[in-house]
């Protein structure tokens, strides 16, 4: 699902730092007039003048000779007009050193503030506005996990050598920019110089990227619904497998293998292995009560709701498909992938080609990390989608007010482990912070009942080693084996190779909890401790299936008879809209071309409307309609379900999809006294608002309309009988009234693009540096997803201002050898650079840059850097 998280109340856009960020309105807006410790900038922050011109990457890049200490041999970096670089080295470590240098030259602000967020050190340069973020990251423990991983790498380890080389290259850039007075503008704004880059920083960035797409709070949110509805109704409304038609890529038969070992704490060293019991005494633990459970979790929900955007996973991520040669024009596999994340300037991605004796790849890197996360080698290509299964488990710890600092676990009282982590704060004294750890993990809720979290993102990780091995693999077997040590985030790797193979592999730990639902809060007394993880060879996968295609679009990867605890409909599982539409297109008999596959990434057909509108029109047959209602019905009958900017029908369906859920479920929400969670994101505020529960229930009500038209929940709690036809008609009438009332009776004024737009926000928090908004199409359910993540001035979601979607697109045809890509946000973070946001025009037109490599890239490159020791 692509329902956005409600922006945090206190910070809003101010600290959107996860996975790629710069700064914030919390700092830059005050700086116009000057506040303590910050300069008054005024017009200096305008994009066409002032401090932006002082940075090294302002204006067009030029050819240079560069000194990189520690190089074994010279390295060349060639840039296309688009800003896409090609790094050629005669030594593997030189390659990573040069990538570190290039990243820091074009994305140093992004790199520095990203590591600061992950380390919990933003307050040191931003001030007290960032304390909530810093406290949370200190508790979660990304820095501690990164330091542990670095300490575990022995001398001579290839991963260690790679990280050292990357850090050295980044530091060469930092040193040169500092000495020349040409540091990126935001360092000047904040008045500090960046520290040297370290391997631990890269490991922190790696974990922060994982946090963005795997640390979630759905268990907390849906505890409110489960408590109010009771287990039986909750399971009917929010089943494990979404109720409407699904398209799992692994349909079985499934392997049932013994669970792989998995620690009950990501930081066993902090807990001295097993926490030792303390004297029993006379007191007893506070019992777990069913009633009031959600109420007891409000402080945690409030805390998570006040974090920066990106700190908590908030939307389904990405499409990827692979098509076998039997279904393509070229006779060889085609792969297409487009990760969905918040749009930003600069982008979370940095496209690069790297060549050395041991490596050759073209792909998308994240500044701060030396390796591509998706792309191609000479032998295969791969893409990624997020697997929407629980890897964040919440534990309700048993405590006693008479025993402060203790909790009850496995029949005895245990003492918390505490870590003192003072936080430096700009303009004031350091703030004392104490991390509290139980056997399950850090305590995130300290008010009232302690609640701890087990998150896979701080487990020991072999991810970087896996990607290094992946890049050296020669085919499918090596590719798969390279991912065996992958810990988190849980991902689907789409794969296509030059030999004709296609595959989809689910990877990452999958915690199993005997007798309990890990997708809801768990008792912390030891009865719900993790029993292990699904074994790698039992995770969902598909290799060369008979249908000749594999699709992953955040849908549940398996059928309901998968023999393990897996995702639920109330995680972030797509309801079958995007994957259903992709499967519909790929299943056609016509042979697929690279152009057609790339165009499919830009498709706005709404599969939800494709399923519901015919049923609605059928329900309206024989009904006395008003003239306006008849005109709307006729309009829908002529719709091809394409949510383009010119179409009027999406304006109506945007209301109808919400009204259908409201008319069906709102009476029952009221009857069961289902309350909002503290950030008011569980339930819709009005009949036309989206919300997590509403989004989740779309699949449920669609299934009932299709297959269970007399479902008792169509009727009212007072006994008034209704069926699917009654609900469809009522939702239709309400939606006509609402749409006509909002846009008038002239359907020409219903053009979707008059109120649906896309915006590419500057992560500096300055609207002058944004690009857009532009009229746009699509919605969270279309292949070309358009997702709103902003609130208006009154705190209401701006669902029709798309600020998230496909952040890059990548497609390759192994028959023709052609590949193409586009990164909307461009390659540079400086608005004075021609490479700032320069992919947006192509992205909006559904076009891309060709992926050019090797000698061909040298011929078309217009800027060349030569680096020597």
């Amino acid at each position: 699902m692509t329902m956005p998280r409600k922006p945090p109340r206190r910070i809003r856009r101010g600290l959107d730092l996860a996975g790629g960020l710069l700064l914030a309105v919390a700092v830059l807006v005050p700086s116009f007039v000057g506040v303590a410790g910050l300069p008054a900038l005024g017009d200096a922050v305008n994009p066409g003048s002032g401090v932006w011109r002082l940075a090294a990457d302002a204006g067009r890049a030029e050819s240079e000779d560069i000194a990189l200490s520690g190089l074994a041999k010279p390295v060349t970096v060639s840039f296309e007009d688009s800003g896409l670089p090609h790094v050629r080295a005669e030594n593997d470590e030189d390659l990573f050193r040069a990538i570190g240098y290039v990243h820091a030259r074009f994305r140093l602000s992004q790199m520095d503030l990203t590591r600061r967020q992950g380390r919990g050190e933003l307050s040191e340069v931003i001030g007290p506005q960032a304390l909530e973020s810093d406290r949370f990251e200190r508790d979660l423990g990304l820095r501690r996990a990164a330091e542990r991983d670095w300490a575990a790498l022995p001398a001579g380890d290839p991963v260690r050598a790679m990280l050292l080389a990357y850090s050295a290259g980044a530091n060469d850039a930092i040193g040169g920019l500092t000495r020349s007075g040409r540091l990126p503008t935001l360092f000047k704004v904040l008045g500090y110089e960046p520290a040297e880059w370290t391997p631990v920083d890269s490991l922190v960035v790696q974990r922060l990227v994982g946090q963005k797409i795997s640390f979630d709070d759905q268990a907390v949110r849906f505890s409110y619904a489960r408590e109010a509805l009771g287990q039986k109704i909750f399971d009917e409304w929010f089943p494990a497998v979404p109720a409407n038609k699904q398209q799992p890529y692994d349909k079985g038969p499934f392997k049932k293998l013994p669970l792989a070992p998995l620690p009950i704490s990501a930081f066993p060293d902090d807990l001295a292995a097993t926490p030792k019991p303390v004297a029993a005494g006379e007191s007893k633990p506070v019992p777990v009560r069913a009633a009031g459970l959600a109420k007891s979790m409000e402080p945690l929900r409030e805390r998570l709701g006040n974090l920066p955007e990106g700190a908590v996973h908030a939307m389904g991520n990405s499409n990827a498909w692979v098509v076998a040669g039997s279904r393509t024009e070229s006779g060889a596999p085609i792969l297409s992938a487009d990760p969905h994340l918040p749009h930003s300037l600069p982008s979370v991605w940095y496209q690069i080609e790297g060549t050395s004796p041991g490596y050759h790849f073209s792909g998308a890197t994240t500044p701060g990390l030396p390796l591509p996360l998706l792309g191609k080698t000479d032998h295969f290509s791969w893409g990624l989608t997020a697997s929407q299964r629980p890897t964040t488990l919440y534990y309700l710890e048993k405590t006693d007010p008479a025993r402060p600092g203790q909790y009850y676990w496995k029949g005895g009282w245990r003492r918390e482990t505490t870590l003192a982590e003072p936080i430096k704060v700009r303009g004031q004294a350091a703030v004392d912070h104490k991390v509290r750890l139980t056997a399950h993990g850090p305590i995130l809720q300290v008010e009232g009942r302690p609640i701890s979290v087990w998150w896979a993102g701080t487990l020991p990780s072999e991810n970087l080693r896996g990607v290094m091995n992946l890049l050296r693999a020669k085919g499918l077997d090596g590719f798969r084996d390279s991912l065996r040590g992958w810990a988190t985030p849980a991902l689907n790797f789409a794969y296509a190779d030059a030999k004709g193979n296609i595959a989809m592999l689910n990877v990452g730990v999958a915690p199993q909890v005997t007798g309990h639902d890990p997708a809801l809060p768990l008792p912390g007394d030891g009865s719900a401790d993790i029993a292990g993880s699904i074994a790698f060879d039992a995770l969902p996968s598909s290799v060369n299936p008979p249908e000749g295609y594999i699709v992953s679009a955040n849908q549940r990867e398996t059928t309901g008879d998968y023999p393990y605890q897996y995702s639920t409909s109330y995680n972030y599982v797509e309801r079958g809209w995007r994957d259903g539409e992709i499967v519909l297109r790929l299943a056609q008999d016509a042979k697929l071309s690279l152009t057609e596959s790339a165009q499919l990434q830009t498709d706005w057909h709404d599969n939800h409307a494709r399923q519901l509108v015919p049923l609605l029109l059928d329900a309206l047959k024989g009904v006395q309609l008003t003239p306006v209602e008849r005109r709307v019905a006729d309009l829908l009958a002529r719709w091809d379900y394409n949510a383009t900017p010119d179409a009027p029908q999406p304006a109506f369906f945007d209301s109808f999809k919400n009204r259908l859920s409201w008319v069906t479920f709102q009476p029952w929400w009221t009857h069961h006294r289902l309350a909002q969670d503290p950030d008011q994101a569980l339930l819709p505020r009005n009949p036309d608002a989206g919300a997590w529960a509403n989004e989740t229930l779309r699949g449920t009500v669609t299934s009932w309309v299709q297959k269970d038209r007399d479902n008792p929940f169509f009727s009212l709690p007072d006994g008034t009988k209704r069926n699917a036809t009654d609900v469809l008609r009522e939702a239709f009438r309400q939606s006509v009234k609402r749409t006509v009332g909002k846009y008038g009776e002239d359907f020409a004024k219903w053009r979707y693009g008059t109120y649906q737009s896309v915006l590419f926000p500057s992560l500096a928090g300055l609207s002058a540096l944004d690009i857009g908004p532009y009229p746009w199409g699509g919605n969270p359910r279309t292949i070309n997803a358009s997702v709103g993540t902003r609130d208006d001035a009154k705190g209401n979601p701006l669902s029709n201002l798309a600020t998230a979607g496909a952040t890059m697109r990548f497609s390759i045809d192994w028959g023709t050898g052609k590949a193409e890509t586009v990164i909307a946000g461009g390659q540079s973070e400086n608005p004075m650079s021609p490479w700032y946001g320069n992919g947006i025009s192509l992205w909006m037109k559904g076009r891309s840059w060709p992926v050019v490599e090797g000698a061909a890239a040298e011929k078309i490159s217009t800027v060349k850097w030569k680096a020597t020791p």
Side-chain angles (χ1 to χ4, degrees), residues 706-717:
Q706 292 171 331
K707 300 179 293 187
D708 189 10
R709 299 182 67 83
D710 292 312
N711 187 284
F713 289 110
F714 284 133
S715 296
L716 298 176

Side-chain angles (χ1 to χ4, degrees), residues 79 81 119 163 166 359 424 473 537 544 600 778:
F79 295 87
D81 276 341
R119 296 176 70 100
L163 291 173
Y166 180 85
Y359 298 95
K424 295 179 180 179
D537 290 317
N544 296 323
L600 185 56

Side-chain angles (χ1 to χ4, degrees), residues 269-306:
D269 292 342
D270 290 337
L271 299 164
T274 302
K276 295 179 180 180
V278 297
E282 298 296 326
S283 59
K284 295 181 180 181
V286 177
V288 176
R289 295 184 178 90
L293 174 61
K295 185 73 174 176
S296 72
M297 304 186 77
E298 285 190 0
L300 176 58
R301 183 87 276 296
E302 186 76 20
R303 182 184 189 190
L304 296 176
N306 280 317

Side-chain angles (χ1 to χ4, degrees), residues 7 173 177 250 258 379 415 682 687:
L177 294 173
D250 188 348
H379 305 285
R415 198 177 304 281
L682 178 65

Side-chain angles (χ1 to χ4, degrees), residues 299-614:
L300 176 58
R301 183 87 276 296
E302 186 76 20
R303 182 184 189 190
L304 296 176
N306 280 317
L307 291 173
E309 289 184 59
V312 180
H313 175 47
M315 56 181 283
N317 306 100
S318 319
N319 303 316
W321 57 84
V322 283
V323 182
S326 60
R327 286 184 168 271
T328 68
E329 285 185 358
S330 71
I334 288 176
L335 176 147
S336 288
D338 54 297
H340 299 173
L341 293 165
H343 297 308
S344 60
L345 297 167
S347 171
V348 62
W349 305 110
Y350 188 86
Q351 179 77 15
I352 201 164
E353 179 193 11
T355 305
S356 70
Y359 298 95
H360 180 232
F361 55 79
S362 289
T365 61
T366 289
L369 291 174
L371 301 172
L373 299 183
L374 69 160
K376 68 173 290 291
T377 70
D378 293 335
H379 305 285
F380 59 82
S381 54
W382 79 102
L384 304 173
T385 68
S387 179
Q388 311 298 339
R389 50 180 169 79
T391 56
T392 310
L393 280 56
Y394 292 89
Y395 284 91
L396 303 154
E397 302 293 357
K398 288 189 174 184
T399 58
D400 184 342
R403 290 179 171 272
Q406 298 178 26
Y407 63 100
Y408 192 82
W409 180 62
K410 288 191 174 181
W413 289 100
R414 320 281 167 150
R415 198 177 304 281
E416 298 170 359
T417 298
T418 60
L419 304 172
E421 296 217 5
I423 301 173
K424 295 179 180 179
V425 183
R426 180 180 184 135
Q428 66 182 55
V431 172
D432 291 332
H433 180 70
K434 182 170 66 175
V435 178
R436 299 167 55 190
L437 296 164
T438 72
H440 305 109
I443 294 176
L444 295 187
Q445 176 173 304
V446 297
E447 300 175 33
R449 180 172 193 165
I451 299 174
S452 62
V453 66
W454 182 99
W455 177 50
T458 48
L459 290 171
S461 171
E462 288 289 311
N463 289 12
L464 291 181
R465 188 181 312 281
V467 178
M468 289 185 76
N469 292 337
L470 178 154
L471 293 172
R472 292 177 179 269
K474 298 297 190 289
L476 179 56
D477 290 342
F479 181 90
R480 181 167 189 158
D481 286 343
S482 71
L483 299 173
R484 287 186 176 276
W486 190 273
T488 188
L491 296 173
N492 297 291
F493 278 75
Y495 173 94
D497 68 26
K499 297 178 181 178
N501 295 301
I502 62 171
M504 193 76 69
L505 308 174
N506 185 274
V507 304
V509 299
Q512 303 290 286
V513 180
T514 305
H516 297 269
D517 183 356
L520 289 169
L522 300 165
D525 59 4
S527 65
D529 288 357
I530 290 171
S533 175
I534 301 173
F536 178 83
D537 290 317
L539 288 168
S541 65
S542 178
V543 177
N544 296 323
E547 55 267 30
Y549 56 83
I550 315 173
V551 174
S552 177
N554 310 122
Q555 80 274 30
R556 181 180 162 107
E557 293 90 348
T558 70
T559 58
D561 57 346
Y562 186 63
Y564 298 94
Q565 292 169 329
Y566 207 67
S567 61
T568 68
S569 66
Y570 51 93
N571 287 118
Y572 295 89
V573 173
E574 165 69 17
R575 298 293 170 275
W577 320 129
R578 282 185 285 124
D579 55 293
E581 192 67 19
I582 297 167
V583 167
L584 180 67
R585 306 300 185 83
L586 297 184
Q588 297 176 2
D589 291 335
K591 300 286 187 178
L592 186 74
S593 68
L594 177 64
T595 298
E596 290 166 336
S597 189
Q599 287 176 344
L600 185 56
Q601 294 177 316
T602 68
D603 190 272
W604 280 324
H605 283 84
D606 188 338
N607 194 267
H608 190 202
R610 191 186 293 280
Q611 294 184 41
L612 273 182
V613 169

